[in-house]
Amino acid sequence: MGKGVRLTTGEFDLLAAFVNNPNQVLSRDQLLDLCRNRKAGPRDRTIDVQVGRLRSKLEDDPKKPTMIKTMRGRGYIFTPEVEWF
């Protein structure tokens, strides 16, 4: 069994967006809309910062992520298998 991880509300909302859309590339705009119900500004890096924090808490090696991958120029993809019971 895995260990517990404390998440901020923003990190939890981001993880929920990924879990609800597994194996789909989600752009920064889509993630902001899903997590915060707003659009990104021209230099808005909010999602990038949150993804970095989430990776540091969930990934074995945040510099070589396997769960939340960057799709250059497109966004991010959550790759673990998600099962709903």
Side-chain angles (χ1 to χ4, degrees):
M1 175 156 273
K3 62 180 180 173
V5 176
R6 290 188 184 272
L7 300 176
T8 65
T9 301
E11 292 163 350
F12 180 85
D13 291 344
L14 181 59
L15 182 58
F18 281 130
V19 168
N20 287 317
N21 298 280
N23 293 304
Q24 295 179 45
V25 176
L26 299 171
S27 69
R28 287 180 186 91
D29 283 338
Q30 287 174 303
L31 289 166
L32 269 173
D33 188 43
L34 290 167
C35 297
R36 303 233 166 83
N37 200 26
R38 71 176 178 90
K39 298 291 181 201
R43 296 179 189 245
D44 193 336
R45 305 306 286 185
T46 304
I47 291 299
D48 301 317
V49 171
Q50 290 283 198
V51 166
R53 290 180 182 160
L54 198 53
R55 282 176 174 162
S56 70
K57 292 181 178 185
L58 301 179
E59 298 276 3
D60 290 331
D61 183 355
K63 300 225 184 265
K64 296 179 185 172
T66 60
M67 290 194 283
I68 303 171
K69 295 184 177 185
T70 301
M71 305 301 289
R72 298 236 183 264
R74 297 178 59 206
Y76 297 97
I77 186 168
F78 186 71
T79 61
E81 183 177 330
V82 176
E83 293 182 12
W84 297 96
F85 296 97

